[in-house]
Amino acid sequence: MDKKIYKKRIIDSKVQEYLESFGAVCVEGPKWCGKTWTSSFHSNSEIYIGDPTGNFQNRRLASISPKTVLEGDAPHLIDEWQEVPELWDAVRHEVDNRNAKGQFIMTGSATPNRKGIMHSGAGRIATIRMRPMSLYETGVSSGTISLEEICNGEYKDVLTGEVDLKTIIDSIVRGGWPANQDIDLDKAALLPKEYMKVFVSDDIDRVDGIKRDKHKMELLLRSLARNESTTVTNQKIKNDIKEIDNDDIVVETVASYLNLLERMFLIDNQKPFGNTIRSSVRIKQAEKRHFADPSLACALLNATPEMLLGDLNTLGFLFEALCERDLKIYAESFGAQLYHYQDYRNKEIDAVVELPSGDWCAIEVKLGANQIDTAAKSLLNISDSIKKEKNGKPPKSLVVVCGLTNAAYKREDGVYVVPITALRP
């Protein structure tokens, strides 16, 4: 690749850090999110296991003689290693032999079953999750405001400029796929649709050789799209399919197919938060449902920009997914983790950023500026109730991430407001 034209990604610093700390780094994530391009940027030699040249000669060579495909200047890129799972053990063994850091970069768009893999690679191979591009990486966000600074209680008031609702919708429909950033929106909308079409028609069988019911997978995907950014259970997904599509699917199949979606990195759920609060409040343990990119949910709903303009409720859920995708990318870049909060008193926080120190930041996501007051009141109520709990640990910062506001500012009640189009790590 021509490294001069490489568009830097937030994950670059972590890839470099891990190369200096481990013998091999495995970059995982959904197809088309930029894993190969980024890994190639950091490598000095490469081999592509999925290359069809010579009737897939690289794949056959890797199966016959794994050690041969490990040859090359370090860091040596092995793209789509999961096509030949035995390569994992071969890399681990070679790392031990060389006893040196930064020897290999592996990429994977699916997690294979453990058949043929003898060792975990712990201490030798470190894994990094890569996601589609954030608004900061695509250039939609100016990056005026740092999430890390917000979480540490550092605020600044600044005008960030007007935001057009069509810009938000464009970012949702287009998604964070690198190949989708410089083409017309009507053409960009085709990529996530084709993505899901190929997944159902081909990938669900290829990943592990198990035949699955394509129709039932389509039903499940559409239900997940209808329930994007919610905490519905597997049973409710089953009921949703029965009610909306007038078809039936057993809960065990739902769970099995969801596991496949996780292994293909097509879903990226938000885990529940609660351990650090250490109060007597019972915390729900349901994950918030998310696709790897909101454009996938948009494609499955057949939602055009015009339709989203006329359906602000659906747009609100997709906007929340967009923001939480970005918040997860930003948080993980400085060692934090993203969660959501939901207790049995029906109190919720859209996003929780937990810092390595144990401090945490509570974030509500709202599309319109007219929703900021309500969001701020909810954050303050939850913070106050946690303060009253024995051993309760309130959030260090209260934040409303908004779509349509032209400024970042701290309110008189202490809640900070920031546009998603001004945020960076």
Side-chain angles (χ1 to χ4, degrees):
M1 67 172 290
D2 184 353
K3 296 188 177 184
K4 293 180 180 178
I5 64 172
Y6 175 70
K7 191 170 186 178
K8 290 191 176 298
R9 301 291 297 270
I10 291 172
I11 201 175
D12 283 331
S13 59
K14 180 170 284 189
V15 172
Q16 190 58 44
E17 176 189 0
Y18 276 35
L19 284 171
E20 295 170 0
S21 304
F22 297 91
V25 175
C26 182
V27 181
E28 301 178 329
K31 290 182 177 180
W32 301 349
C33 73
K35 300 183 304 298
T36 300
W37 196 240
T38 291
S39 298
S40 180
F41 177 77
H42 291 275
S43 68
N44 288 319
S45 62
E46 52 202 34
I47 185 168
Y48 297 88
I49 303 303
D51 185 350
T53 301
N55 193 24
F56 292 94
Q57 62 183 8
N58 285 349
R59 184 190 301 166
R60 289 187 289 113
L61 179 61
S63 299
I64 297 170
S65 178
K67 184 177 176 59
T68 304
V69 302
L70 304 188
E71 297 174 358
D73 294 337
H76 179 58
L77 168 61
I78 305 169
D79 190 55
E80 297 294 351
W81 73 270
Q82 81 281 348
E83 297 280 345
V84 182
E86 293 82 2
L87 284 172
W88 183 273
D89 282 333
V91 167
R92 179 202 60 79
H93 181 71
E94 188 65 17
V95 166
D96 283 346
N97 283 345
R98 297 185 186 182
N99 192 27
K101 308 298 184 186
Q103 296 301 297
F104 301 99
I105 304 177
M106 308 163 71
T107 71
S109 55
T111 302
N113 57 35
R114 304 307 295 179
K115 184 178 180 181
I117 299 178
M118 300 296 293
H119 300 280
S120 67
R124 291 92 154 188
I125 308 174
T127 59
I128 301 176
R129 177 69 176 266
M130 190 173 187
R131 296 178 170 84
M133 300 175 82
S134 64
L135 296 186
Y136 179 59
E137 291 169 295
T138 62
V140 174
S141 171
S142 64
T144 306
I145 305 299
S146 164
L147 177 64
E148 184 175 11
E149 291 177 359
I150 291 174
C151 292
N152 285 308
E154 302 172 22
Y155 308 115
K156 60 181 177 181
D157 294 350
V158 59
L159 288 173
T160 54
E162 296 294 334
V163 182
D164 189 341
L165 180 58
K166 290 184 179 180
T167 299
I168 299 294
I169 294 175
D170 181 297
S171 297
I172 291 171
V173 174
R174 185 182 301 275
W177 313 105
N180 240 11
Q181 301 312 306
D182 299 319
I183 60 177
D184 294 338
L185 183 59
D186 58 340
K187 295 182 179 65
L190 298 175
L191 187 148
K193 289 183 178 180
E194 184 65 18
Y195 194 119
M196 299 314 301
K197 178 182 175 181
V198 171
F199 168 73
V200 173
S201 65
D202 186 36
D203 289 346
I204 62 172
D205 295 333
R206 288 186 65 244
V207 66
D208 54 15
I210 298 175
K211 290 290 183 181
R212 294 177 174 86
D213 189 315
K214 299 184 189 309
H215 176 63
K216 291 189 184 300
M217 178 60 80
E218 289 176 340
L219 295 177
L220 174 61
L221 289 169
R222 289 202 297 267
S223 180
L224 288 173
R226 291 192 291 266
N227 290 285
E228 172 65 52
S229 301
T230 72
T231 57
V232 294
T233 63
N234 289 2
Q235 180 64 48
K236 288 185 178 179
I237 289 176
K238 166 187 162 60
N239 296 342
D240 175 72
I241 292 172
K242 181 69 174 178
E243 178 182 351
I244 305 298
D245 295 306
N246 196 30
D247 210 328
D248 208 1
I249 180 172
V250 298
V251 174
E252 291 77 13
T253 299
V254 171
S256 173
Y257 284 15
L258 287 173
N259 176 261
L260 176 65
L261 292 173
E262 287 182 0
R263 290 172 55 195
M264 295 291 293
F265 306 106
L266 283 178
I267 56 176
D268 195 4
N269 293 342
Q270 209 171 329
K271 295 185 182 299
F273 178 73
N275 293 335
T276 307
I277 293 177
R278 297 194 302 273
S279 72
S280 60
V281 177
R282 291 183 61 220
I283 308 298
K284 293 183 179 180
Q285 295 302 304
E287 294 186 353
K288 186 187 288 190
R289 307 276 186 181
H290 285 309
F291 279 97
D293 190 272
S295 64
L296 298 179
C298 194
L300 288 162
L301 293 171
N302 289 316
T304 64
E306 294 74 21
M307 291 171 60
L308 292 176
L309 276 172
D311 186 351
L312 294 182
N313 185 54
T314 298
L315 178 58
F317 283 112
L318 293 175
F319 174 70
E320 183 176 339
L322 175 77
C323 292
E324 287 164 356
R325 178 203 67 189
D326 283 12
L327 289 170
K328 184 173 286 188
I329 293 171
Y330 300 158
E332 291 183 357
S333 73
F334 53 86
Q337 296 294 321
L338 189 77
Y339 302 92
H340 78 98
Y341 173 91
Q342 186 179 39
D343 64 32
Y344 284 90
R345 300 180 299 189
N346 294 321
K347 293 184 177 181
E348 300 180 7
I349 303 173
D350 289 333
V352 169
V353 177
E354 185 181 30
L355 300 170
S357 64
D359 289 328
W360 61 289
C361 175
I363 301 174
E364 280 290 285
V365 176
K366 297 298 178 186
L367 177 60
N370 62 327
Q371 301 170 297
I372 292 174
D373 286 342
T374 301
K377 182 179 179 181
S378 175
L379 288 171
L380 289 165
N381 285 341
I382 293 177
S383 180
D384 289 343
S385 66
I386 292 174
K387 289 177 184 177
K388 295 174 183 177
E389 287 287 333
K390 183 179 180 181
N391 297 323
K393 184 175 183 178
K396 186 172 183 177
S397 303
L398 303 175
V399 183
V400 178
V401 170
C402 189
L404 303 176
T405 182
N406 65 353
Y409 59 95
K410 189 174 184 180
R411 293 162 46 104
E412 291 184 0
D413 55 17
V415 177
Y416 192 58
V417 178
V418 60
I420 189 63
T421 50
L423 204 58
R424 62 173 167 85

